[in-house]
Amino acid sequence: MAADRMTRRTLLRHMAATGAGVAMAPLLTHAGRLPVLAQQPGGFLYAAQEVDPVSLDPHNRSNFSSFQAFEHIYESLVAYDKSMNIIPSLAQSWSIPDPTTYVFALRRNVRFHDGSELVADDVKYSLDRMLDPKTASAWGSILKPFVDRVEVIDRSTVRLRLTKPYPPLLGWFAYRRGSGIAKAGSAEKMNFNVQANGTGPFALKEYLPESHILFTKHKGYWDSSLPYLDGFMMKVLVQEDTRVAGLLTRTLDYAFLSPEGADRLKGVAHVNVMRSLRAFVTMLRTNPSRRPWSDVRVRQALALGIDRKAIIEKAAGGAGVLSGFIPTGYGDWYTPADKIPWRHDPERARRLLAEAGFPQGFRTTIKASPQYPEFISSAVVIADNLKQIGIDAQIQQMEWGQFVRDTGAAGGNNYDLAITAFVFRHDPDGYFRFYYHSKDPNNPGYLNPKVDDLMDKAVTTVDRRERKRLYTEMERILADEVPYMPLYTSHKVEAVQRRVKGYVPMFSDSREFFKETWIERG
């Protein structure tokens, strides 16, 4: 343990110098927290999953709904604690001999859900699979330019050799979107879309797409004190009315809600409503590879024609704050919204459209999925705004899987405008590289060598203040050229039955702490 503490002290100094980790500012502001009581092991929890996961593959899925399912099954080398600090997980300790070398010492006697022991070969297999172009991992595309090779030193030790410094590495592992450790060879033996074999506190019992995900307690979990629950089920409940009804009738123990949904629970004594800040930036995406959105003047007109404050009030029920490209509240990395040079100016927007050759405007489409009702509501407000500057925007609603295929990672480019959200990222780089770097496969067609250069410098720069300066300069360019338009950072509303104890909302939107949740019985 002394060696572990020394390693972590060294790590924290390294993080402070390099800017690794998130270092969150105010994290939670939620009401109704109950006194801490002694945990009662056992019990079963019924939770609502508002969007179908689509797939449980821990390496190649980019949609957040997949992560919400597999985060309970798969772990990585390090993790976030409740305050978003990086702590040991499958690696009990690590060292950084130089900025391009990381050595991880694995915990002993960690068991997969099939009973086999975790060894270094499993880590190498998982990382190599994630980095393999055939896997088409959106999250692998972030790490791939920086990893030279993954080496097995011995049964319990893994070394990563980097091509250049990558300060966000530990945060990348902690977030687990792409870095989940699976048993070597398991992807070749099972269907990772609906089957899983991880080391997490819960094992997958059954996944029936668009119906439910059933988890059971991993009795061989390396932290023998966890989890408290015997298991839980995540019911895919797209309609909020169903989620609210489940809470009212006590057939649901947990649900994510809109502010309007939470209002319907006022005065309900057996439900505890929690509100917290979340790293969730609702985004309006343009398609710079498709006319007329390839013209920067048209994109600038879009930004001037949209009233973001009206979207927050009308579409988000007031539960949000204006945001730049990095979500408001993300430590001290974000740019305050009043520093982003956008204002609602329809007259200037119409002049820009005329300069671009569209004095009478044009027709376009906005794609959004009703699985996230606030996206549809935002689209309605945006369409009304655009109508005032001559753009006729037709809203196309589609189920989530089709929306992901049309607009998602690695080739989804079938849209004019689309409304989505950027969820928590392990580092400021995560809010830029996917979408704006010319060499990233997820980029929809935005090309700017200056932005590429700033991004490449920032992600390898050790000095934190210099990193921040580079990201701020990058934001100024993106705000001017508008490949995407951040609308707002939203507040999170979650509700649990009063008998549910120990659940902690996370800024990252993770529900990882179901592992420390327990049911009061009496």
Side-chain angles (χ1 to χ4, degrees):
M1 290 299 293
D4 287 358
R5 289 194 294 270
M6 179 66 73
T7 301
R8 290 184 63 189
R9 285 198 295 270
T10 303
L11 167 69
L12 292 172
R13 288 196 294 270
H14 173 80
M15 289 169 64
T18 63
V22 176
M24 287 298 160
L27 189 60
L28 293 176
T29 55
H30 69 275
R33 176 171 287 193
L34 300 178
V36 175
L37 304 173
Q39 295 91 349
Q40 296 177 2
F44 192 90
L45 181 138
Y46 290 91
Q49 167 66 19
E50 58 274 13
V51 182
D52 187 73
V54 182
S55 168
L56 302 180
D57 193 318
H59 301 137
N60 77 348
R61 296 308 304 180
S62 63
N63 52 299
F64 186 64
S65 55
S66 292
F67 169 75
Q68 288 179 309
F70 69 63
E71 68 170 331
H72 307 288
I73 303 169
Y74 293 102
E75 297 176 296
S76 189
L77 297 174
V78 297
Y80 288 118
D81 68 10
K82 295 172 185 177
S83 298
M84 305 306 298
N85 298 307
I86 294 173
I87 60 172
S89 185
L90 295 182
Q92 65 180 358
S93 64
W94 56 90
S95 61
I96 309 170
D98 61 70
T100 60
T101 305
Y102 288 70
V103 180
F104 296 92
L106 302 182
R107 291 185 188 275
R108 303 296 179 94
N109 299 316
V110 173
R111 298 288 172 179
F112 283 95
H113 298 148
D114 67 359
S116 60
E117 185 179 0
L118 169 76
V119 294
D121 285 334
D122 302 316
V123 177
K124 178 174 172 56
Y125 166 82
S126 299
L127 297 183
D128 284 347
R129 180 175 186 265
M130 177 272 302
L131 292 167
D132 188 341
K134 294 179 182 178
T135 304
S137 171
W139 289 87
S141 70
I142 289 181
L143 197 62
K144 189 173 181 60
F146 304 99
V147 176
D148 178 28
R149 60 190 182 277
V150 182
E151 301 174 331
V152 172
I153 297 177
D154 57 40
R155 184 179 177 83
S156 299
T157 312
V158 178
R159 179 167 56 213
L160 263 68
R161 300 283 195 184
L162 306 183
T163 59
K164 48 194 167 185
Y166 184 60
L169 181 67
L170 292 174
W172 184 89
F173 277 114
Y175 193 24
R176 284 173 298 159
R177 294 187 71 178
S179 69
I181 305 303
K183 187 64 185 175
S186 56
E188 291 73 37
K189 297 176 182 177
M190 61 176 62
N191 181 356
F192 264 19
N193 288 325
V194 295
Q195 296 174 298
N197 182 25
T199 62
F202 294 98
L204 178 69
K205 179 70 172 179
E206 179 182 61
Y207 169 39
L208 185 61
E210 300 184 11
S211 175
H212 65 267
I213 314 104
L214 177 61
F215 301 90
T216 60
K217 178 177 182 175
H218 177 22
K219 295 181 180 179
Y221 189 49
W222 56 266
D223 184 344
S224 59
S225 68
L226 297 175
Y228 301 127
L229 295 170
D230 288 333
F232 69 99
M233 177 183 286
M234 298 174 73
K235 299 181 179 180
V236 180
L237 300 175
V238 175
Q239 299 299 322
E240 183 172 65
D241 286 349
T242 308
R243 301 199 296 272
V244 171
L247 291 165
L248 289 171
T249 60
R250 294 183 169 90
T251 56
L252 274 183
D253 295 306
Y254 165 92
F256 174 90
L257 300 173
S258 69
E260 292 78 13
D263 287 343
R264 294 166 60 185
L265 295 171
K266 285 183 177 178
V268 178
H270 63 82
V271 176
N272 183 35
V273 177
M274 302 175 286
R275 304 174 193 273
S276 59
L277 188 64
R278 63 194 299 225
F280 192 94
V281 185
T282 300
M283 283 277 188
L284 177 62
R285 302 175 58 168
T286 76
N287 191 338
S289 68
R290 179 180 291 187
R291 286 180 52 83
W293 302 108
S294 54
D295 190 321
V296 68
R297 294 168 296 183
V298 175
R299 301 198 302 269
Q300 290 169 338
L302 173 83
L304 292 166
I306 290 176
D307 186 346
R308 297 194 298 160
K309 291 182 179 179
I311 294 173
I312 294 173
E313 291 305 315
K314 296 178 181 180
V321 294
L322 292 174
S323 182
F325 292 86
I326 299 173
T328 299
Y330 191 94
D332 63 351
W333 290 101
Y334 69 97
T335 298
D338 60 0
K339 302 296 184 183
I340 299 291
W342 290 329
R343 64 186 184 281
H344 188 214
D345 190 343
E347 183 178 345
R348 187 179 170 206
R350 286 190 289 267
R351 290 200 302 269
L352 279 169
L353 286 178
E355 290 176 16
F358 299 97
Q360 305 303 318
F362 57 87
R363 300 188 68 179
T364 192
T365 58
I366 305 174
K367 290 188 174 183
S369 174
Q371 270 84 344
Y372 292 94
E374 65 270 30
F375 293 175
I376 301 298
S377 301
S378 296
V380 171
V381 178
I382 290 169
D384 183 63
N385 286 167
L386 295 182
K387 186 176 181 179
Q388 297 173 38
I389 64 173
I391 298 176
D392 179 10
Q394 299 296 312
I395 300 170
Q396 295 183 350
Q397 299 191 38
M398 56 184 57
E399 61 90 19
W400 181 244
Q402 186 61 50
F403 180 86
V404 170
R405 287 188 289 274
D406 280 4
T407 68
N413 204 28
N414 182 25
Y415 68 97
D416 293 335
L417 301 173
I419 298 180
T420 186
F422 293 175
V423 295
F424 177 76
R425 301 291 188 252
H426 64 291
D427 183 82
D429 179 70
Y431 292 100
F432 298 103
R433 185 163 301 275
F434 264 169
Y435 318 102
Y436 315 118
H437 199 290
S438 63
K439 294 183 179 179
D440 195 283
N442 307 286
N443 184 319
Y446 173 70
L447 306 175
N448 187 321
K450 177 65 173 176
V451 169
D452 282 358
D453 183 60
L454 288 168
M455 208 178 303
D456 291 340
K457 286 180 179 176
V459 78
T460 58
T461 295
V462 172
D463 182 81
R464 192 179 188 279
R465 291 202 303 178
E466 176 61 9
R467 287 193 80 205
K468 185 175 179 181
R469 185 194 70 78
L470 292 168
Y471 285 125
T472 300
E473 184 178 351
M474 192 189 317
E475 276 202 292
R476 291 196 190 101
I477 296 173
L478 294 172
D480 180 58
E481 298 189 344
V482 205
Y484 285 43
M485 184 180 182
L487 301 176
Y488 60 91
T489 296
S490 63
H491 297 153
K492 177 170 56 176
V493 182
E494 297 170 285
V496 297
Q497 299 292 339
R498 291 278 176 175
R499 71 191 188 108
V500 175
K501 311 298 182 184
Y503 177 72
V504 176
M506 296 285 287
F507 183 77
S508 64
D509 258 356
S510 167
R511 296 165 181 164
E512 177 179 356
F513 287 96
F514 277 163
K515 68 183 179 183
E516 294 187 15
T517 298
W518 54 282
I519 304 294
E520 184 179 35
R521 303 184 300 281

